[in-house]
Every structure is written in C-alpha cells, then in structure tokens.
Amino acid sequence: MGNCITKKTKRVQKSMPPSTSAAQCRSSFFLPNIRNKNKSGKREFIIKIKGIEYKVKELGIPLTELHRDILDAILLSKKKYRETPKGFQVLFCLSDVYKILNHRISKNKIKDKIQELRATTYFLQDPNDAFKYFDFNILNENEITGIEYKKGKGILAGKTNYYYIATIDHKFLDFENFDLQIYMNNKITKKIIELESANNKHLVRFCLSHDQINKDLDEVLTEIGIINDMMSKQLKYKIKKEILSDKDMLFNNFHIEIKKIEKTGRLGIFYNKIKEIYFKNPATPLKYYLENITVP
C-alpha cells in the first residue's frame, strides 16, 4: 500500500481538490456548532448552486463545523496522496490531525468523527423533478494501513503507530465541481481551525466564499443558520455578543469588519476578497448527474 500513493509533486499539486465550495459555506451544510447529539436521523435544508435552489436531504449523523475542521486537518496533514476511481485518497497520521486541531478532542473522538463523515449521505433533489437526485458521501472509505511511522516511547515503548487512509468520495468532488470552488492557502485554513467559536468558523467560511460583502449582520446570521426564529431573544443576544467580542480578531485575521451601517444604524458585516483565497468557476452542470433513485 505504501508504494501506491503518489508523492507530492508540482504536477500532482494541481489536482488537489478545492478547500470547499460556495454552497457548503453559504448554507447550513455543516451546522454552526461543535457538538452534535450523535443521533442518526434526517435533516433537510436548501443550498444554491449558480442561482438555482436545491433541496438537500441529509441521512445520518448531522455534520458540524468540527467535521469540516477534521476534513481540513486531514488534507493539511497529508503525507502522500493520489487520485483513484473511488476519489481522492490521502495517507495521513492521526497524531498530526490531533495537533492541527490543537488537542481539543481525543484521537478516539477524531476517529469517530471521521467515521461519521463516511456514514452520512446527502441527496440533492432536482428542482424540476422530485424523483431525480444526486447522492454522495464525503468519505467513502477510511482505514488503518500496515505502514508504520514510529515506535512508542516511555510507557508506550513497543507500541507501533500506523498511518491511516481516507478517501474523499469522487461524487463529493463532483458536487464541488458543480459549484464555485474555493481554494484557501494553508495559513488561512489553520486560522479557521484555531477559532474556538463554531459560530465564528461558520461566519468566516461564509465571508471567504464571496468577492465582497456589505450586508446587515442579522440577515447574514439568519441566512447561514447561526440564528433562527425558534431561538429565544436571550440566546440570539448571547450568540451575537460572542461574535462581537471577537470582531477585532475577525478583522486582523480575515479582514472581516463588523460595524454600524450608516444608513440604518444597524450592525453590518463588510468584507473584500483577500489574496489568500482563489476561486474557480464550476466545471460541470449538475443537471447532467441527476438520476432517478429511491431516497431512504
């Protein structure tokens, strides 16, 4: 297995998948919280691709910003990688993912979350035909390899550590190719992972998916699911207070500015695209991939 994954080269670097896509950043694709209740179920939400609204049905564990962080950390910590018929295969060390996540969750919890990335399935419904869908998982396999990377020391002496393999599903990569693809450099990705607030992670990813933003803050927070009408006034206030307490950090790290809008006197959010972000236009229309399938 060790010889079948291509070493990093400039040629292969061009085939790296995007960091994310507009639809993921501008919706509740990844929920704006860190902890989920670990209960399987169904969730429905709306995404937009090239101005067209698609209903998405999520079957499995609701995925959160923590799952997004783990996926990013796997790509950041990759040792080798290659494209396969199944998707984009990455060889990585679990300890490196643990370090990138700043030791916030245990290695066993990381493995659980990786399994959830594999187990949860998405169904995108054709807006013109309720029986046509495009379905995908984010990962289609993850497993421990027989490739050793170091021996344990001290009380762990004699214990051998092994690399892991995760494969990003080729249909998830297709899903990203239907949409505006967003490439972030490693420095920006790490800064997002380092954020303590899941709401701020969600807000930052939304902003970075745009060329420019000049909008009412409450409208943005509602649009991406950080606040909603079902929340109490106290909870909305608490969430906004948390975001506002980090406004200097948001500006210094991501050039996202929160200030009053002159015309209305309400709080607004302002952003202009930064040089660390690169956009790539959709490669393939989604309509060619929709097919008649039965949704569980």
Side-chain angles (χ1 to χ4, degrees):
M1 198 72 191
N3 295 324
C4 66
I5 299 181
T6 309
K7 290 184 178 180
K8 292 187 282 186
T9 67
K10 289 184 178 180
R11 179 183 62 81
V12 176
Q13 189 73 18
K14 293 180 181 179
S15 65
M16 281 290 293
S19 305
T20 184
S21 64
Q24 295 174 65
C25 296
R26 301 175 187 178
S27 69
S28 56
F29 191 97
F30 291 101
L31 289 168
N33 53 11
I34 294 297
R35 296 179 177 86
N36 58 22
K37 296 180 180 179
N38 293 320
K39 291 182 179 179
S40 293
K42 292 182 180 180
R43 182 171 73 98
E44 293 187 0
F45 55 95
I46 300 294
I47 63 171
K48 283 186 179 180
I49 298 179
K50 297 186 71 175
I52 300 173
E53 289 191 350
Y54 293 88
K55 181 187 287 186
V56 181
K57 297 183 179 181
E58 179 190 64
L59 183 63
I61 299 293
L63 301 186
T64 69
E65 285 291 327
L66 177 57
H67 293 90
R68 176 74 254 185
D69 282 350
I70 290 172
L71 185 60
D72 287 341
I74 288 171
L75 290 170
L76 286 172
S77 64
K78 62 189 179 300
K79 301 301 181 184
K80 298 180 181 180
Y81 54 95
R82 66 168 184 169
E83 293 182 32
T84 75
K86 289 184 176 181
F88 189 82
Q89 194 173 76
V90 182
L91 184 75
F92 68 96
C93 168
L94 191 64
S95 294
D96 289 343
V97 173
Y98 178 62
K99 289 176 185 176
I100 291 171
L101 294 172
N102 297 318
H103 308 160
R104 286 180 180 167
I105 61 172
S106 69
K107 293 178 185 177
N108 284 335
K109 181 66 72 173
I110 292 170
K111 288 191 283 187
D112 289 343
K113 297 300 177 185
I114 291 173
Q115 183 58 35
E116 290 169 9
L117 281 164
R118 180 181 179 182
T120 299
T121 305
Y122 293 91
F123 300 87
L124 272 68
Q125 187 179 57
D126 187 335
N128 300 312
D129 187 339
F131 296 99
K132 283 190 175 181
Y133 290 87
F134 176 76
D135 65 306
F136 62 88
N137 293 62
I138 294 177
L139 299 180
N140 62 32
E141 64 179 5
N142 65 283
E143 58 186 27
I144 192 169
T145 71
I147 307 171
E148 301 178 10
Y149 72 90
K150 70 174 182 180
K151 298 284 187 180
K153 296 180 181 180
I155 61 173
L156 298 177
K159 181 181 178 182
T160 302
N161 294 295
Y162 296 94
Y163 285 107
Y164 285 76
I165 279 181
T167 303
I168 301 175
D169 195 316
H170 71 97
K171 295 184 78 174
F172 177 65
L173 298 176
D174 286 339
F175 164 67
E176 293 189 318
N177 285 333
F178 302 146
D179 197 7
L180 180 69
Q181 299 159 55
I182 300 162
Y183 292 82
M184 305 179 188
N185 69 15
N186 291 350
K187 184 178 179 181
I188 286 292
T189 302
K190 287 178 180 177
K191 283 184 177 180
I192 296 173
I193 292 173
E194 288 168 2
L195 293 173
E196 292 187 10
S197 164
N199 288 321
N200 279 335
K201 292 174 190 285
H202 205 55
L203 182 60
V204 167
R205 287 181 168 124
F206 169 81
C207 291
L208 298 185
S209 72
H210 289 78
D211 281 310
Q212 186 179 52
I213 293 175
N214 179 350
K215 297 183 73 172
D216 184 277
L217 178 61
D218 280 5
E219 288 181 10
V220 170
L221 298 182
T222 302
E223 181 180 343
I224 58 178
I226 290 178
I227 62 175
N228 60 64
D229 293 337
M230 301 296 290
M231 292 178 176
S232 66
K233 289 183 178 180
Q234 291 84 353
L235 180 55
K236 289 181 182 179
Y237 175 79
K238 182 179 178 181
I239 290 171
K240 287 174 66 176
K241 183 179 179 182
E242 175 191 63
I243 292 170
L244 291 172
S245 69
D246 287 332
K247 69 176 185 177
D248 290 340
M249 176 276 298
L250 292 173
F251 181 76
N252 292 333
N253 288 339
F254 308 103
H255 294 272
I256 296 167
E257 188 173 13
I258 298 175
K259 62 181 182 180
K260 283 188 177 181
I261 302 170
E262 289 185 8
K263 289 184 178 180
T264 65
R266 291 169 57 83
L267 284 174
I269 187 161
F270 303 85
Y271 167 78
N272 287 298
K273 185 169 167 285
I274 55 178
K275 64 181 180 180
E276 292 86 356
I277 307 296
Y278 166 72
F279 293 159
K280 185 178 178 182
N281 289 322
T284 310
L286 173 56
K287 64 182 180 180
Y288 296 124
Y289 287 77
L290 295 161
E291 58 185 355
N292 288 302
I293 60 174
T294 302
V295 179

